[in-house]
Amino acid sequence: MHTAVERYGLKVVGKMPSLARKRVSPHSIRQTTATHLLRAGVDINTVRGWLGHVSLDHERLCRGRLRDQG
């Protein structure tokens, strides 16, 4: 699995060189995915279920970031 992710990462960096300077981790991918889903109007409880979060605290933090970003 790790090799497949690395290979995909290299493919993406080839298309978007600016990503080579960014730190990408599993956590940042999860956070970005949750943010995009919430912006798209997906219900917060659905996002919580997909990400396996027991508490809504983390999702509330994400929603706070969405408000701050406008």
Side-chain angles (χ1 to χ4, degrees), residues 57-69:
D57 291 339
H58 187 264
E59 283 75 12
R60 286 188 184 119
L61 179 63
C62 290
R63 277 202 325 214
R65 286 189 195 131
L66 287 175
R67 271 186 261 123
D68 294 344
Q69 293 173 1

Side-chain angles (χ1 to χ4, degrees), residues 8-68:
Y8 182 73
L10 291 173
K11 180 180 175 182
V12 170
V13 167
K15 293 179 181 179
M16 298 180 70
S18 63
L19 289 178
R21 295 184 303 274
K22 302 207 182 238
R23 183 168 180 245
V24 179
S25 67
H27 177 75
S28 65
I29 293 170
R30 285 172 55 92
Q31 223 172 349
T32 302
T33 301
T35 300
H36 286 290
L37 290 170
L38 291 171
R39 281 186 179 160
V42 176
D43 178 62
I44 193 166
N45 288 312
T46 302
V47 173
R48 180 180 59 85
W50 286 343
L51 297 179
H53 291 159
V54 175
S55 168
L56 286 176
D57 291 339
H58 187 264
E59 283 75 12
R60 286 188 184 119
L61 179 63
C62 290
R63 277 202 325 214
R65 286 189 195 131
L66 287 175
R67 271 186 261 123
D68 294 344

